[in-house]
Amino acid sequence: DIQLTQSPSFLSASVGDRVTITCRASQGISSYLAWYQQKPGKAPKLLIYSASTLQSGVPSRFSGSGSGTEFTLTISSLQPEDFATYYCQQLDSYPITFGGGTRVEIK
Amino acid sequence: QITLKESGPTLVKPTQTLTLTCTFSGFSLSTSNVAVDWIRQPPGKALEWLALIYWDDDERYSPSLKSRLTITKDTSKNQVVLTMTNMDPVDTATYYCAHKGGRGFGDDYWGQGTLVTVSS
């Protein structure tokens, strides 16, 4: 199985901050990586797919980059509605796997 | 628009079999490259992918759960069914179904999820 390691697991930030979350894969996955945002009690929401393609309707302050084994999700200017948990997901090979999550909280 | 909704028991006893149904609208599972996933999330924990079925009946399973899972589709009813045998308290989780637009794509539409508790 391909393991995905997210860092940090917890992040405290202020509104307006630039935030970067990293996802490292245990082996190369090309660009088959997606990012999700999940708020308490809600289903995850797809933000980014193919490592850097913004899902329709997602604000442009979200961006993704990387290929191979290292990927990043960046929020250019954190907004109040962005406080949530973020997950990466690899779709290169089965089984599909998720990272452990990064919780973004208000400083 | 695409919608999905999970249904099934909220409480099952240990050793019982869980049957969950995902009823969807806005797409067809006979359309090329479309798939439906099942993903679960224990309370306070991370997401775990369980299984998926493609439009062409290709089925994929989590190896750690493969012996306990079966995924099927009924294209005429717009439903996907997941069965999980020999339920255990560690299987307590919110179970989600989701739409996938193709191999290598993320899950772009999700159901609201259904919490299944395993307890005697």
Side-chain angles (χ1 to χ4, degrees):
Chain A
D1 299 7
I2 295 174
Q3 311 300 321
L4 295 180
T5 304
Q6 285 185 237
S7 60
S9 56
F10 175 83
L11 189 160
S12 181
S14 300
V15 172
D17 283 354
R18 181 181 181 88
V19 166
T20 299
I21 299 168
T22 297
C23 178
R24 288 187 175 87
S26 59
Q27 63 191 75
I29 58 170
S30 185
S31 296
Y32 291 110
L33 189 101
W35 289 98
Y36 298 86
Q37 175 193 68
Q38 187 179 33
K39 297 182 178 179
K42 300 293 187 182
K45 173 187 175 182
L46 178 65
L47 300 175
I48 303 273
Y49 63 93
S50 299
S52 61
T53 303
L54 197 67
Q55 173 70 358
S56 176
V58 174
S60 59
R61 63 181 180 273
F62 291 92
S63 63
S65 65
S67 67
T69 61
E70 187 150 339
F71 302 85
T72 59
L73 173 70
T74 299
I75 309 172
S76 61
S77 177
L78 200 64
Q79 298 301 302
E81 59 268 31
D82 300 337
F83 292 95
T85 300
Y86 294 84
Y87 293 95
C88 56
Q89 178 198 43
Q90 70 81 20
L91 300 122
D92 178 74
S93 62
Y94 299 103
I96 292 169
T97 48
F98 288 91
T102 296
R103 186 174 168 193
V104 177
E105 291 202 341
I106 302 173
K107 182 182 284 185
Chain B
Q1 80 278 23
I2 290 176
T3 64
L4 304 97
K5 187 173 184 179
E6 307 86 353
S7 59
T10 58
L11 179 65
V12 298
K13 290 179 168 39
T15 74
Q16 286 187 335
T17 293
L18 172 69
T19 299
L20 292 173
T21 300
C22 177
T23 303
F24 56 85
S25 63
F27 69 95
S28 172
L29 249 182
S30 59
T31 300
S32 295
N33 297 316
V34 170
V36 170
D37 279 300
W38 283 95
I39 299 118
R40 72 179 178 180
Q41 185 172 38
K45 296 189 177 181
L47 300 164
E48 179 185 16
W49 178 80
L50 301 177
L52 69 73
I53 188 163
Y54 281 100
W55 66 285
D56 59 358
D57 294 322
D58 184 14
E59 300 167 23
R60 302 286 177 159
Y61 296 95
S62 168
S64 63
L65 294 167
K66 183 178 171 65
S67 64
R68 300 173 52 205
L69 293 175
T70 303
I71 191 169
T72 60
K73 66 180 177 67
D74 187 329
T75 304
S76 65
K77 291 183 179 178
N78 281 351
Q79 290 181 333
V80 171
V81 174
L82 182 76
T83 59
M84 181 180 291
T85 62
N86 194 25
M87 293 292 285
D88 183 271
V90 300
D91 296 314
T92 294
T94 297
Y95 287 75
Y96 297 99
C97 62
H99 167 275
K100 185 183 298 297
R103 290 175 172 82
F105 282 71
D107 296 295
D108 50 1
Y109 296 91
W110 292 64
Q112 64 190 23
T114 185
L115 176 61
V116 178
T117 301
V118 184
S119 174
S120 55

